[in-house]
Amino acid sequence: MAEPSHPGGRRPGWQALDRGQRARPWEWVAEQAIRVVSVTAIVLVFLIFVFVMREALPVLLGRVNSAAAQERRALPVEQMDRLDPEELRQYLELSRKEFAEMDRDTLRLLMEVKLEAAEEVPEDKDAPLNTAAWRYLLGPHQWTGYDRPAYIWQPVSSIHKYNIVPLIVGSLKTSVVALLFAVPLALAAALYVSQLAPPRLKEWVKPGIELLAGIPSVVLGFFGLVVLATFLQQVCGYASRLNAFVAGIALGLACIPVIFSIAEDALTSVPRSFSEAALALGSSRWQAAWQVVLPAAVPGVFAAIVLGFGRAVGETMVVLMASGNASLLTWSVFDSTRTMTATIAAELAETVFGGHHYRILFLLGALLFAVTFLSNLLGELVIQRLKRRLEGGR
Amino acid sequence: MTLHGRWEVGGGSRRGAAWSVLFTGATGLATALILAMLAVILVNVAWHGWPALSWRFVTAGTEADMFEVGKAGVFPMIFGTTARVILMTLFVIPVGVTTAIYLHEYAHTTSVLTRVIRTAVANLAGVPSIVFGLFGLGFFIHFLGDRLDLVLHPDNPKPIWGKPALLWASLTLAVMTLPVVIVATEEALRGLSPGLREASLALGATKLQTIWQIVLPNALPGILTGGILAVSRAAGEVAPLLFTGAAYYMAELPRSLTDQFMDLGYHVFVLSTQSPNLEQTRPILYGTVLVLLLLTFALNATAILVRARMRRRQRAAG
Amino acid sequence: MDDVSLPKVRLPEPAPEPSPGGAGAGEALLRTEGLSLWYGSARALHNITLGIPPHRVTAFIGPSGCGKSTLLRCFNRLNDLIDHVRIEGRVAIAGHDLYGPGVDAIELRKRVGMVFQKSNPFPKSIYENIAYALRLHGLRERRRLDEVVEQSLRGAALWDEVKDRLHRSALGLSGGQQQRLCIARAIAIQPDILLMDEPASALDPIATARIEDLILELKQRFTIVIVTHNMQQAARISDYTAFFYLGELIEFDTTRRVFTNPSQQQTEDYVTGRFG
């Protein structure tokens, strides 16, 4: 056969080797672009930690004062002209933008409001308290008008009461109801689909559960609020139509796909040889599933529950719509309940940027972030270890 | 036990058979219950929502009264949701895919930093959406937006960038779905056999040529599936929009990236919690829910179809 | 390590000093001098010095893990893709140091083709598998592409089997056909050296025989280095054989000498099947 000519029409000597990377400047540019985009994206992702913490940090460090009566005395309205604009702005606690937008009459009005507020407030013995301090955030306090120490979340009142315990308990209550409802159902379904169901049924069930996962949480919230609440009230006959129980059930619907898919994955990853060995010893399919496969996949089941908890605690729209949103500290799941997520969702829009209310809501966000991030990490680690063990054992 | 008795397999396991039926029945029932609840939700929404659905409903605005049956429409919400989803996709898919390529093809896989980044990214996918809303408010609106206002419009006291806007809502959603897209893309890249890359490189292809012409085309179905699922998740998401851009009511459609917008999901929330009379406005509410569900399911179904086609093609090829 | 003097280049036959101008017949085209390679802290190659003559088939044999594939991958710098690989010593083709500063590994790989143990056609059509390689080299004209694709497939003795289904998926071919497609793809870009990493180890005897025939034919146009586990194969097709053990080059000579009258005991033990 004749020697075919070189495809490029040329046949460079080995000298071409020494052209080096300089030969392709555009590729170099493109690869640098990839690097820049990626590093930016990764930094942006890490900025989430930074920005949520940044807004919450002053509260954590105790640098926020939310006392209704501050040290500074209220000034009479006539003194308005003696202050220079910057002093006036600070006195009225306005942002630069707000200040620039206001005309003289509005400012005058604000001065009056401030004066009135100052005259009203000192009658309350709690007015000088910095309610954003840790002991008021977490501990009970006997507020004016209460007959005993209580945990109160009441940010929009003359005394800003910022006790976050009712919200934490609310989040836990709804999450626990959700898990009690979702875990048995999802685990049983995972066991059925992975071990017992005929394969053809499997092909129907899994897309069905994916469909459930695809329902937006606002729709689940709507369903809880409009359909489930009435139905459950008729069945159970409790007083408050919207409560932790209703929200928990609706929330459970959001958790089922999460728990199911992780548990099913863990159960499927148990090598077939395990259950085949059990079947060969004469156990039935359900015995193999219950006594061999499930124990081998227990860490995966645990991880599924942990990740399901993360989903439940962090869910917003469902609880915002179906839990009733009264920030009462009770242990009954049939009382109207307010969670951390719903509090942020309902109140943040009305807060002053950078104010104490704003910062305490960010503190709640940071807390949620930490809890869900850690529970995810835990779940993820457990799953990885389980998979490594099962693969090693094969 | 006599030898004869040992071989009576049928009789001895009657109790076992009962257990077996009970166990299989109970787990099967649980599965059926989950599917039944799904069916109840879907049928309920379809049953009450279908009569409300009309051409006028999906093309009319809220000029009259958003709570008035027969006059209210959801076009502004469809428009807003579509706009924010498209904008988000434009941000998140290129950036997410690029980042995954960088992490998988360029970064040193064994280095501690890469592992930390990968773990952090994977876990961020589970952080509550409301926290991303906080981030959007703190970072995009108050950090970026306020500074943009200072630089671009120093004389204008009214904030233009430093307020909730379509752009910021889309970016917030993009950051929220970024981990999902990165993880899905990396998964797809990992699924390719390393032999493909070596084959291409050994022919004298550069890394970039290999990625562009061999790796990406073959990973595309996986990337698409993950991408569409992320997009459909974001389409129904409401919590991050609460403070970053969704409006309770707007007389006009948003005209620029800095305008607020009306959103289907947020509108469902508004209709079911702020309505003056829930019984009367129920048709609008159900209609809106149905439109939202159809939109998200259409996206989901696309993802499932893409995946099914990919599996079939792989089976045919293998 | 303490050896200060330059290691002597071990060549099967006495050869003149390499001249930088080019490699004529009878002189090593590719040579390594004191080449050592580490994966992290594990040393995979120890001070390898050898010269590979042009237009011959050189076989690398040795038990698994002896570093023969690693060495092969030094010749087209495919080891660059692995993290934490460190190389000492020199690998040169026609006097050009492959690991020198500013060397373009991409350009190198266009001149040193490779066929892998596991056939790895792209999930594209048969035609596109070869056309991809050609386009990388700037060949875009449809008519020329058709021509070179046909030449390459004929060169790999595959043309008659696939000429009617050029545009069907390459994954539909049998294992042996896939491997010959990979060879066609490698020779399409006219490399000078063809590296083959156990190209027939996953194939049945008939497919293996076809690949071996092909190698004997290809050696007229290419310098071939083949790694093989199969000693009969090495004996059948190679002109020179290098025996490696635990990362060291034990013996390098004409195939006839290695198999009939080796100078080292270890080589004899291996080729007679006493270990490995």
Side-chain angles (χ1 to χ4, degrees):
Chain A
M1 186 167 67
E3 173 92 349
S5 58
H6 194 262
R10 74 207 148 87
R11 191 166 183 82
W14 287 100
Q15 281 81 3
L17 273 192
D18 294 327
R19 282 194 300 153
Q21 249 74 29
R22 284 162 297 161
R24 288 173 294 274
W26 285 113
E27 296 224 341
W28 185 85
V29 170
E31 291 188 342
Q32 292 311 308
I34 289 180
R35 178 167 319 211
V36 168
V37 169
S38 309
V39 170
T40 313
I42 291 165
V43 166
L44 199 62
V45 160
F46 277 88
L47 274 183
I48 297 167
F49 295 88
V50 176
F51 269 86
V52 175
M53 281 314 284
R54 193 181 90 131
E55 304 290 344
L57 207 59
V59 182
L60 278 173
L61 298 177
R63 296 235 181 92
V64 170
N65 189 357
S66 62
Q70 307 268 346
E71 289 296 309
R72 222 162 350 131
R73 316 244 68 204
L75 301 169
V77 180
E78 299 75 50
Q79 282 198 5
M80 190 171 128
D81 299 322
R82 273 184 236 153
L83 297 170
D84 65 39
E86 183 59 20
E87 276 175 329
L88 184 62
R89 190 187 69 78
Q90 277 174 10
Y91 169 70
L92 291 173
E93 295 171 5
L94 294 170
S95 73
R96 280 197 180 78
K97 252 180 290 173
E98 287 169 322
F99 186 71
E101 279 173 60
M102 288 174 180
D103 58 17
R104 218 184 126 69
D105 290 337
T106 322
L107 291 173
R108 205 180 167 79
L109 216 64
L110 278 177
M111 293 285 289
E112 281 167 16
V113 169
K114 194 100 180 160
L115 195 62
E116 275 170 34
E119 279 164 2
E120 261 173 36
V121 160
E123 289 166 21
D124 196 314
K125 71 170 172 56
D126 295 326
L129 296 181
N130 175 13
T131 53
W134 277 110
R135 50 177 293 220
Y136 299 107
L137 289 183
L138 295 175
H141 180 71
Q142 185 163 356
W143 303 98
T144 314
Y146 286 81
D147 49 11
R148 60 198 156 91
Y151 301 87
I152 305 292
W153 173 269
Q154 225 173 63
V156 192
S157 62
S158 60
I159 310 288
H160 313 288
K161 306 186 185 76
Y162 288 130
N163 194 290
I164 61 175
V165 174
L167 311 180
I168 296 176
V169 171
S171 278
L172 288 179
K173 258 194 325 193
T174 47
S175 303
V176 166
V177 172
L179 289 185
L180 286 178
F181 171 65
V183 168
L185 280 179
L187 285 189
L191 209 55
Y192 181 72
V193 167
S194 73
Q195 304 296 320
L196 304 164
R200 293 221 20 213
L201 200 64
K202 211 182 209 171
E203 300 205 348
W204 278 96
V205 175
K206 287 181 85 169
I209 294 194
E210 269 172 37
L211 209 60
L212 186 60
I215 295 184
S217 62
V218 71
V219 174
L220 291 179
F222 143 85
F223 186 73
L225 173 74
V226 174
V227 182
L228 214 53
T230 314
F231 173 74
L232 289 175
Q233 193 180 28
Q234 278 165 1
V235 173
C236 306
Y238 42 74
S240 167
R241 197 177 91 92
L242 297 177
N243 54 42
F245 181 65
V246 176
I249 300 291
L251 203 51
L253 290 173
C255 297
I256 283 175
V258 177
I259 302 173
F260 171 85
S261 61
I262 295 166
E264 204 259 348
D265 195 34
L267 288 167
T268 324
S269 71
V270 174
R272 274 223 109 69
S273 56
F274 279 35
S275 55
E276 278 163 3
L279 291 175
L281 289 173
S283 45
S284 58
R285 283 168 73 84
W286 77 268
Q287 278 173 324
W290 182 252
Q291 295 170 350
V292 179
V293 178
L294 190 60
V298 156
V301 171
F302 171 75
I305 297 172
V306 169
L307 291 171
F309 173 77
R311 176 86 164 86
V313 167
E315 180 49 59
T316 306
M317 297 317 287
V318 172
V319 288
L320 180 62
M321 292 163 84
S323 69
N325 285 324
S327 55
L328 311 165
L329 180 65
T330 67
W331 292 105
S332 163
V333 294
F334 298 115
D335 285 334
S336 175
T337 302
R338 167 170 261 201
T339 67
M340 296 194 278
T341 49
T343 307
I344 299 175
E347 294 176 5
L348 189 68
E350 273 114 58
T351 60
V352 180
F353 170 58
H356 34 85
H357 191 186
Y358 175 89
R359 295 206 182 282
I360 287 171
L361 292 179
F362 266 83
L363 179 72
L364 286 177
L367 190 62
L368 274 172
F369 193 136
V371 168
T372 50
F373 194 85
L374 290 179
S375 61
N376 280 334
L377 199 63
L378 177 67
E380 203 70 33
L381 286 179
V382 168
I383 289 176
Q384 274 176 19
R385 281 187 57 176
L386 171 73
K387 289 225 160 137
R388 221 174 301 142
R389 211 183 59 199
L390 288 179
E391 271 154 27
R394 203 170 283 176
Chain B
M1 200 193 288
T2 62
L3 192 63
H4 182 73
R6 281 170 62 103
W7 288 98
E8 270 179 49
V9 234
S13 60
R14 192 169 296 148
R15 245 189 68 200
W19 272 110
S20 178
V21 168
L22 191 70
F23 190 80
T24 313
T27 53
L29 199 67
T31 315
L33 198 60
I34 293 176
L35 295 180
M37 288 187 296
L38 171 71
V40 166
I41 298 177
L42 296 185
V43 169
N44 181 275
V45 171
W47 185 264
H48 295 283
W50 187 250
L53 228 52
S54 64
W55 181 245
R56 195 205 48 74
F57 184 68
V58 294
T59 52
T62 49
E63 297 86 5
D65 178 357
M66 59 197 247
F67 294 118
E68 197 171 337
V69 181
K71 287 194 177 149
V74 289
F75 181 70
M77 298 83 182
I78 297 178
F79 180 86
T81 302
T82 314
R84 75 164 161 87
V85 166
I86 290 175
L87 271 175
M88 177 207 79
T89 312
L90 288 182
F91 291 120
V92 78
I93 299 290
V95 173
V97 172
T98 307
T99 309
I101 286 176
Y102 178 74
L103 282 178
H104 195 260
E105 309 281 337
Y106 285 95
H108 290 268
T109 44
T110 46
S111 88
V112 178
L113 184 66
T114 316
R115 287 222 301 269
V116 168
I117 288 175
R118 199 165 276 150
T119 312
V121 165
N123 282 306
L124 272 177
V127 165
S129 51
I130 186 92
V131 174
F132 285 95
L134 288 179
F135 169 72
L137 180 70
F139 179 70
F140 288 124
I141 296 181
H142 287 311
F143 186 82
L144 273 186
D146 285 356
R147 275 164 188 71
L148 277 177
D149 275 336
L150 273 181
V151 175
L152 299 177
H153 315 279
D155 310 320
N156 192 346
K158 273 197 126 130
I160 292 177
W161 298 94
K163 64 172 180 47
L166 180 56
L167 176 69
W168 300 140
S170 309
L171 281 175
T172 305
L173 287 172
V175 173
M176 187 185 88
T177 41
L178 192 60
V180 185
V181 174
I182 293 178
V183 169
T185 308
E186 267 210 275
E187 194 94 343
L189 294 177
R190 207 173 300 131
L192 295 182
S193 93
L196 283 183
R197 295 184 181 84
E198 286 193 338
S200 173
L201 290 166
L203 288 170
T206 63
K207 204 163 184 174
L208 208 61
Q209 284 170 327
T210 303
I211 290 170
W212 189 247
Q213 297 183 36
I214 301 292
V215 171
L216 274 185
N218 285 299
L220 195 60
I223 296 173
L224 276 183
T225 312
I228 300 171
L229 282 179
V231 169
S232 88
R233 182 188 155 197
E237 197 60 75
V238 178
L241 308 177
L242 292 172
F243 351 103
T244 56
Y248 175 84
Y249 174 76
M250 279 175 73
E252 290 176 342
L253 294 178
R255 282 207 209 123
S256 81
L257 291 178
T258 54
D259 283 348
Q260 284 190 271
F261 60 98
M262 293 182 86
D263 180 81
L264 271 177
Y266 184 59
H267 199 60
V268 169
F269 169 69
V270 168
L271 286 172
S272 43
T273 56
Q274 321 279 312
S275 162
N277 184 341
L278 192 58
E279 284 309 312
Q280 262 180 25
T281 55
R282 188 178 287 252
I284 316 177
L285 174 56
Y286 268 101
T288 314
V289 171
L290 185 57
V291 172
L292 175 61
L293 271 187
L294 288 176
L295 190 81
T296 49
F297 281 175
L299 285 168
N300 265 314
T302 319
I304 291 172
L305 277 180
V306 169
R307 193 175 48 193
R309 272 191 66 173
M310 169 180 71
R311 283 204 185 131
R312 215 174 322 135
R313 208 188 309 163
Q314 274 174 354
R315 222 173 286 153
Chain C
M1 275 292 165
D2 303 326
D3 195 354
V4 203
S5 65
L6 265 179
K8 212 166 156 264
V9 177
R10 246 191 279 180
L11 260 186
E13 285 155 47
E17 283 299 298
S19 58
E27 144 193 344
L29 173 62
L30 193 163
R31 61 175 67 229
T32 70
E33 284 163 26
L35 180 70
S36 297
L37 181 143
W38 287 261
Y39 290 120
S41 57
R43 192 170 178 174
L45 293 177
H46 289 263
N47 210 17
I48 307 273
T49 299
L50 55 72
I52 287 169
H55 292 280
R56 295 286 179 273
V57 177
T58 305
F60 286 0
I61 61 169
S64 304
C66 68
K68 51 194 193 306
S69 290
T70 305
L71 180 59
L72 199 69
R73 285 161 167 262
C74 286
F75 297 160
N76 65 352
R77 291 189 54 173
L78 219 51
N79 285 325
D80 291 15
L81 308 179
I82 304 164
D83 287 347
H84 308 302
V85 162
R86 192 160 57 82
I87 283 178
E88 264 177 27
R90 197 175 129 93
V91 190
I93 296 183
H96 291 268
D97 186 358
L98 304 190
Y99 288 86
V103 164
D104 189 357
I106 306 306
E107 198 60 40
L108 168 67
R109 292 183 195 132
K110 292 182 181 175
R111 311 293 304 276
V112 182
M114 186 161 190
V115 177
F116 296 83
Q117 178 174 8
K118 197 169 169 289
S119 62
N120 50 6
F122 302 122
K124 304 174 176 228
S125 72
I126 295 168
Y127 181 90
E128 278 302 314
N129 257 279
I130 295 171
Y132 171 74
L134 295 171
R135 288 200 191 98
L136 289 176
H137 295 253
L139 186 67
R140 289 179 191 282
E141 196 193 332
R142 183 75 198 190
R143 209 172 44 79
R144 285 282 294 140
L145 274 178
D146 291 348
E147 241 173 69
V148 183
V149 167
E150 182 178 340
Q151 273 171 7
S152 313
L153 285 171
R154 282 188 193 281
L158 192 60
W159 174 253
D160 291 334
E161 291 161 60
V162 300
K163 64 182 175 201
D164 299 326
R165 46 170 177 163
L166 282 180
H167 295 283
R168 293 226 222 116
S169 170
L171 299 178
L173 297 173
S174 74
Q177 287 173 325
Q178 287 193 7
Q179 194 62 296
R180 274 180 285 144
L181 176 62
C182 292
I183 293 176
R185 191 174 64 187
I187 62 177
I189 54 175
Q190 295 288 318
D192 293 339
I193 301 173
L194 200 54
L195 307 174
M196 298 186 152
D197 191 355
E198 305 192 33
S201 69
L203 302 180
D204 62 67
I206 296 172
T208 303
R210 301 196 68 158
I211 300 267
E212 288 181 6
D213 289 345
L214 182 57
I215 290 171
L216 288 176
E217 207 166 289
L218 290 174
K219 93 175 177 187
Q220 289 161 22
R221 286 164 49 203
F222 306 100
T223 302
I224 296 176
V225 186
I226 179 169
V227 164
T228 178
H229 251 110
N230 179 335
M231 271 167 298
Q232 285 78 24
Q233 186 170 65
R236 277 196 299 268
I237 60 173
S238 69
D239 303 303
Y240 299 102
T241 297
F243 171 61
F244 294 86
Y245 184 60
L246 295 178
E248 288 188 72
L249 175 60
I250 306 295
E251 183 155 3
F252 181 36
D253 215 323
T254 61
T255 300
R256 178 191 293 267
R257 279 260 277 291
V258 168
F259 279 90
T260 54
N261 186 20
S263 60
Q264 304 289 320
Q265 184 62 39
Q266 275 171 308
T267 316
E268 190 176 341
D269 289 350
Y270 185 72
V271 296
T272 53
R274 235 170 274 169
F275 82 96

